[in-house]
Amino acid sequence: MSIQNREIAAIFEEIADLLEIEGADAFRVRAYREAARLIPGLAEGLAERVANGADLTELPSIGEAIAKKIAVIVETGRLPQLEEVRRRVPPSLRELLQLGGLGPKRVKALREALGVASLADLRQAVEAGKVHELPGFGEKTEAQLRERLARWQGPSSRTPLIEAEELVRPLVEHLRGGPGILDLAVAGSFRRRRETVGDLDILVACDDGAAVAERFVGYDAVAEVLSHGETRASVRLRSGIQVDLRVVPPVSWGAALHYFTGSQSHNVAVRRRGVERGLKISEYGVYRGEEAIAGRTEESVYTAVGLPFIVPELREDRGEIEAGERGALPDLVTLDDIRGDLHAHTDASDGHDSLAAMAEAAAALGYEYLAITDHTKHLGVAHGLDAKRLAAQIAAIDRLNERLAKRHEGRFQLLKASEIDILEDGSLDLPDEILARLDLRVASIHHRFDLPEHRQTERVIRAMDNRHVNILAHPTGRLIGAREPYAIDLERVMRAALERGCFLELNAQPSRLDLTDLACQQAKELGLKVAISTDAHSRAGLERMRLGIGQARRGWLSADDVINSRGLAALRRLLRRA
DNA sequence: GCCGTTTTCGGCCCGACTGTTTTCAGTCG
């Protein structure tokens, strides 16, 4: 199997880390980091590009040198340069960077003075009290390292967005409860709606920063104050997540919100545009010389560098700046565009609520339709339905729909559907006769995640060969932070879906969000439409749609790219297969 | 190492906080 983009990126990331510790030129290090950041976001595999003889230097941030190295990696699976650097700088030193509190300079100093080459070495040096004797280190640094080593549980894990929402809500209330707050926003990757957040960034506009910072560090869920100044403070909450507060005067609100929302690469790109125009952009504003020419609103910052407003979800430096320049930013899908949900369970399988309760909850959201997609018999743990029970459910839905039509004056109905298990050989878990009686069929994999890539890919494509199948649900099977996606050639799957008139699901469950943002973008580029579905197992689960919308927006999807932005009649036309 | 409506050489985003220092380097976002 050919090498994946993210494996190539990992090689450059490691080179960047090790060169930095070695003390190499900072801009050279940055060049490797830029390449490592860009590569996983490419739609097409680099291996394929190399095989096709494409000129890689046409990609941004890839020049002659890195292009050659990519070719070597693709052809041989390894890079001699990395092996050389590893001989000079032990790769275990990277652990020290991940620990936090230590950067390349001090890691280098520790290594040269004390021979520290790993976390274990550092622990010994700290316990022996040798660290504080080094120039540039002191008692406090040593104590802080001791603390971090004691807490160390491997590279820091990111927090799922939905947990971050729950953590930040009471903290925001706490801050708003204090005097003098003129404006407040949760910025960072939270505002960009990334599926997970590393830390939380809270921005406040007010005239007395010190008072807000004081109130912030006094929040009762704070476990540790990491830093505490008059305009900036950082804490670690008991949950383990770090929260950074930044306070600015109202006149800087827009510039600060832009700066604090990120992403870092987007900010760098915008600031670079500023420099080209003789402007300096900081969190305080946009300056020409001493004079502030913009910064009260985010819009004014973009205007100053000749760009239209770019929504937070797109700010990843993945082409949004170029698209803005061309006037080609997409009109992104919103929650208001969604007309129904195409994946939901009831207490007939592993859901918690009845058919009627789910229907009323969906109608209350203003939807026109809700597809009931209980599991099928192979999924015994979920009490999956066999053909007989599904036939009974079909009859029950028909009866309920009559009542719903009266109650909601024809504005809402349930769709008869199923989430059909794809068996190991790609066949379906229910006979065609019963499938033909449904409005909609969602198919998905729930076992044998371990098949090799070509077999898993064939399995899914074979399932879509069945002309009853409409949507492939949670297409990679990943669970955020818990289970890697199974090996599957997603691009082949997308092309196969397109040829067959099938669609892929963006599953909005907070632990799934499967497809990823990048996969959504890839689908859009191929012309494949997506269903954003909650896979709700209860009434409350239907409200998770907002997470799917965030992911879809990050994937550049417009309402037109999303099949459940259609009214029922148009949806039915889309679902019709040849 | 990348890149180019000032440039193929000489730039490369910007500021706050901490700790170790007496003016600043390192780290972080």
Side-chain angles (χ1 to χ4, degrees):
Chain A
M1 196 184 80
S2 59
I3 193 156
Q4 302 275 324
N5 284 357
R6 62 185 157 74
E7 298 173 85
I8 298 173
I11 290 175
F12 290 134
E13 194 65 50
E14 183 172 350
I15 289 180
D17 279 355
L18 298 182
L19 284 180
E20 196 169 28
I21 293 169
E22 200 179 19
D25 177 60
F27 296 107
R28 189 167 156 237
V29 171
R30 182 195 290 180
Y32 282 109
R33 280 203 207 292
E34 270 301 294
R37 185 186 70 81
L38 168 109
I39 288 169
L42 299 171
E44 195 187 357
L46 282 172
E48 206 177 340
R49 284 188 198 239
V50 170
N52 295 337
D55 179 9
L56 300 181
T57 64
E58 283 172 8
L59 296 168
S61 306
I62 306 281
E64 293 288 336
I66 290 186
K68 272 197 193 123
K69 290 174 211 272
I70 291 172
V72 171
I73 296 169
V74 167
E75 280 153 23
T76 67
R78 39 189 280 270
L79 185 63
Q81 185 201 5
L82 174 60
E83 287 151 30
E84 284 161 28
V85 185
R86 278 177 177 172
R87 273 195 290 278
R88 298 195 303 266
V89 187
S92 51
L93 280 170
R94 299 177 79 203
E95 301 168 359
L96 302 190
L97 293 179
Q98 288 158 356
L99 181 65
L102 289 176
K105 299 274 167 56
R106 296 208 287 191
V107 167
K108 187 170 188 234
L110 284 166
R111 179 174 179 231
E112 285 172 356
L114 301 175
V116 168
S118 66
L119 274 181
D121 293 348
L122 178 65
R123 195 167 274 127
Q124 275 190 357
V126 166
E127 276 162 20
K130 288 182 186 162
V131 170
H132 74 272
E133 294 167 359
L134 299 183
F137 292 76
E139 297 285 354
K140 284 199 171 178
T141 304
E142 188 170 272
Q144 189 205 47
L145 287 174
R146 187 176 293 118
E147 181 66 21
R148 284 183 189 268
L149 284 164
R151 279 209 320 268
W152 176 250
Q153 296 175 331
S156 71
S157 56
R158 296 177 62 89
T159 304
L161 184 57
I162 193 161
E163 285 178 31
E165 286 179 342
E166 285 155 15
L167 287 167
V168 82
R169 198 176 303 125
L171 173 52
V172 165
E173 275 171 31
H174 170 76
L175 288 174
R176 285 193 191 280
I181 303 245
L182 302 170
D183 224 332
L184 185 154
V186 184
S189 45
F190 183 91
R191 183 162 179 247
R192 302 200 311 279
R193 307 309 285 163
R194 269 192 72 172
E195 59 192 34
T196 59
V197 302
D199 56 19
L200 286 165
D201 303 298
I202 299 180
L203 179 67
V204 169
C206 88
D207 296 315
D208 181 6
V212 179
E214 199 62 41
R215 190 170 177 83
F216 174 69
V217 300
Y219 177 54
D220 63 7
V222 167
E224 187 187 1
V225 178
L226 302 170
S227 74
H228 180 188
E230 292 199 352
T231 65
R232 168 177 277 198
S234 294
V235 299
R236 196 168 49 79
L237 299 185
R238 283 195 302 271
S239 73
I241 199 167
Q242 181 175 328
V243 189
D244 299 327
L245 172 79
R246 191 67 208 264
V247 188
V248 296
V251 68
S252 297
W253 174 254
L257 185 57
H258 180 260
Y259 154 76
F260 227 29
T261 297
S263 67
Q264 180 131 339
S265 346
H266 175 89
N267 287 354
V268 167
V270 168
R271 286 178 178 187
R272 201 178 289 140
R273 279 180 75 89
V275 171
E276 287 165 12
R277 288 165 173 72
L279 303 172
K280 187 186 70 169
I281 302 176
S282 76
E283 57 265 51
Y284 293 108
V286 181
Y287 297 87
R288 187 182 302 284
E290 295 292 304
E291 183 199 4
I293 62 157
R296 188 171 276 279
T297 65
E298 281 192 309
E299 285 81 355
S300 73
V301 175
Y302 285 108
T303 303
V305 294
L307 289 172
F309 179 74
I310 297 174
V311 299
E313 292 93 329
L314 293 181
R315 298 182 195 170
E316 297 292 342
D317 193 22
R318 287 187 198 145
E320 73 279 9
I321 290 172
E322 296 76 6
E325 200 160 36
R326 294 197 310 273
L329 285 168
D331 184 12
L332 298 178
V333 63
T334 68
L335 194 52
D336 284 343
D337 290 321
I338 297 301
R339 311 280 284 272
D341 197 330
L342 298 177
H343 188 163
H345 298 269
T346 71
D347 54 10
S349 64
D350 60 348
H352 302 297
D353 288 316
S354 68
L355 212 51
M358 293 297 285
E360 288 306 332
L365 291 172
Y367 289 162
E368 291 174 36
Y369 48 85
L370 171 69
I372 298 299
T373 56
D374 276 312
H375 291 289
T376 55
K377 63 182 192 297
H378 184 272
L379 209 56
V381 288
H383 197 43
L385 279 59
D386 59 16
K388 193 173 161 199
R389 288 180 61 214
L390 182 53
Q393 188 180 60
I394 288 172
I397 291 176
D398 281 336
R399 286 194 301 276
L400 181 54
N401 269 340
E402 284 178 29
R403 293 217 308 274
L404 289 167
K406 282 181 199 139
R407 191 174 151 82
H408 297 285
E409 298 171 346
R411 288 191 303 269
F412 177 83
Q413 67 174 278
L414 290 177
L415 300 181
K416 293 164 281 189
S418 175
E419 179 180 8
I420 314 155
D421 240 60
I422 301 174
L423 304 178
E424 188 177 337
D425 63 357
S427 62
L428 301 179
D429 188 29
L430 284 177
D432 284 359
E433 302 78 69
I434 187 85
L435 298 183
R437 295 179 54 200
L438 299 171
D439 295 306
L440 169 77
R441 280 103 350 198
V442 174
S444 61
I445 285 181
H446 290 103
H447 68 294
R448 286 315 305 268
F449 298 129
D450 59 338
L451 294 181
E453 179 177 305
H454 69 280
R455 280 184 61 196
Q456 199 71 284
T457 306
E458 290 299 331
R459 174 187 186 183
V460 165
I461 292 176
R462 165 127 198 259
M464 292 192 294
D465 281 339
N466 185 310
R467 55 180 300 277
H468 294 298
V469 170
N470 304 108
I471 297 172
L472 178 65
H474 41 77
T476 77
R478 66 108 177 228
L479 293 176
I480 295 172
R483 186 171 72 205
E484 289 297 306
Y486 36 72
I488 193 161
D489 184 340
L490 201 54
E491 185 174 340
R492 257 193 80 203
V493 170
M494 287 183 183
R495 290 185 190 281
L498 199 56
E499 284 164 10
R500 288 161 181 75
C502 289
F503 304 97
L504 261 55
E505 176 184 270
L506 192 188
N507 187 296
Q509 272 200 51
S511 59
R512 290 192 184 270
L513 290 171
D514 178 11
L515 304 168
T516 63
D517 49 5
L518 289 171
C520 287
Q521 205 169 0
Q522 189 180 7
K524 179 178 180 136
E525 279 164 18
L526 291 171
L528 175 65
K529 294 187 198 305
V530 166
I532 309 177
S533 306
T534 63
D535 195 356
H537 284 68
S538 67
R539 288 169 288 181
L542 293 169
E543 291 171 20
R544 304 281 168 80
M545 185 63 83
R546 68 177 189 284
L547 297 169
I549 294 292
Q551 183 91 326
R553 289 168 63 84
R554 291 181 53 80
W556 292 57
L557 300 190
S558 300
D560 186 56
D561 303 313
V562 177
I563 63 172
N564 49 318
S565 71
R566 307 294 198 281
L568 188 53
L571 175 71
R572 285 191 195 279
R573 282 195 296 277
L574 268 179
L575 292 175
R576 208 173 292 145
R577 283 186 57 171

